[in-house]
Amino acid sequence: MTFCKEVRLECADLWNASFEHPFVKGIAKGDLPLDVFKFYVMQDAYYLTHFAKVQAIGATKAKDLKTTQSFAHHAEQTCAAELALHESFMELLGVTEEDWKLFEPSPHAYAYVSHMYRSAEGDLADVLAALLPCYWLYYEIGERLKTATPEEPIFQKWIGTYGSEWFGELVNEQIERMDRLADGLPEERRQELKKRFMRSSYYEWQFWQQAWTMETWELPVKKESVRHA
């Protein structure tokens, strides 16, 4: 069994938690509150900015020019295609300059980005193991939601992007590359890569959750206990 098939099976519960998350189901049904989606789009724009930078770091760690070119192309695709998509969402959702002035990454968005940079301290296999769940999970969600017909045009566009043929080609290219990088490695090293993949899969699930709850850095307000006379 290939590395990717193994780790995908081992992460099945985490991925199913993403598939079943009320945020994802809300997109499919069309009843996700738009203020929640706006929060998600802004957090995702922050995440993708750093995702592209980690892709570029991957390009510097490649051992051949073809792989360097490929990672550079992926970084450019992230900047050009996905951020353009988010810009259109921001216009439709009415995101203002004031919103961006007040923006800060949520705790889990910040932690996910930090995890990617920590992984980028390793070699190309470490970089890709941390990046791949984002590619692959979104593609599987796009495939699962292909038949969904939400009335909200923004949700239709979101589903169409991640279930598209061009996105699938990028995903399959990186799956094949990950398998090549992991092939023949000692079991201890494969487990290290699996851990990076699993942590990113966990953060993908938490990314839906942080948007769903519109997570902030503030502590929950505790209700004062009521004393009975």
Side-chain angles (χ1 to χ4, degrees):
M1 189 180 291
T2 65
F3 174 86
C4 286
K5 285 182 179 178
E6 283 183 9
V7 75
R8 174 67 182 83
L9 284 172
E10 291 172 19
C11 287
D13 288 345
L14 275 174
W15 284 40
N16 286 336
S18 281
F19 300 147
E20 296 300 318
H21 196 281
F23 182 97
V24 176
K25 286 186 167 293
I27 287 177
K29 293 177 182 177
D31 59 4
L32 181 71
L34 287 181
D35 61 336
V36 172
F37 191 71
K38 176 180 175 180
F39 185 93
Y40 159 82
V41 166
M42 294 182 71
Q43 295 295 329
D44 205 36
Y46 159 80
Y47 167 82
L48 287 171
T49 298
H50 294 284
F51 188 87
K53 291 179 181 179
V54 175
Q55 287 173 314
I57 293 171
T60 70
K61 293 177 180 286
K63 294 182 178 180
D64 60 89
L65 282 176
K66 186 175 180 181
T67 305
T68 296
Q69 182 185 43
S70 175
F71 266 83
H73 172 68
H74 279 246
E76 195 230 348
Q77 285 289 96
T78 300
C79 294
E82 296 208 46
L83 290 181
L85 176 70
H86 282 73
E87 284 172 7
S88 69
F89 285 160
M90 288 172 200
E91 184 177 350
L92 291 168
L93 292 166
V95 178
T96 65
E97 288 186 13
E98 186 64 23
D99 289 329
W100 280 118
K101 285 179 183 177
L102 297 173
F103 173 82
E104 61 178 335
S106 72
H108 276 98
Y110 183 85
Y112 193 178
V113 166
S114 299
H115 159 66
M116 288 196 298
Y117 281 118
R118 182 67 180 269
S119 298
E121 295 173 2
D123 62 18
L124 185 61
D126 292 295
V127 174
L128 189 51
L131 295 178
L132 185 54
C134 180
Y135 282 94
W136 194 355
L137 178 69
Y138 268 69
Y139 181 62
E140 283 205 19
I141 288 174
E143 286 289 292
R144 285 169 177 260
L145 301 190
K146 266 186 175 180
T147 58
T149 55
E151 291 185 7
E152 174 54 58
I154 294 177
F155 299 155
Q156 294 172 15
K157 192 170 185 178
W158 189 92
I159 293 168
T161 297
Y162 296 113
S164 64
E165 186 176 340
W166 74 266
F167 188 65
E169 289 173 358
L170 293 178
V171 173
N172 288 323
E173 177 189 334
Q174 294 291 51
I175 289 172
E176 290 171 8
R177 179 173 287 114
M178 188 73 246
D179 282 335
R180 289 196 301 272
L181 290 169
D183 186 40
L185 292 178
E187 185 57 28
E188 182 178 358
R189 178 66 175 129
R190 287 169 68 92
Q191 289 302 321
E192 289 175 356
L193 296 174
K194 284 182 180 180
K195 186 173 289 187
R196 295 198 187 282
F197 187 101
M198 288 179 179
R199 285 178 176 170
S200 289
S201 296
Y202 171 82
Y203 281 125
E204 284 296 327
W205 169 61
Q206 282 289 352
F207 209 88
W208 313 121
Q209 183 65 14
Q210 61 85 31
W212 181 250
T213 61
M214 300 176 73
E215 183 184 56
T216 70
W217 293 89
E218 296 177 6
L219 289 172
V221 177
K222 292 183 178 180
K223 293 181 180 180
E224 293 183 5
S225 57
V226 179
R227 293 185 179 181
H228 295 281

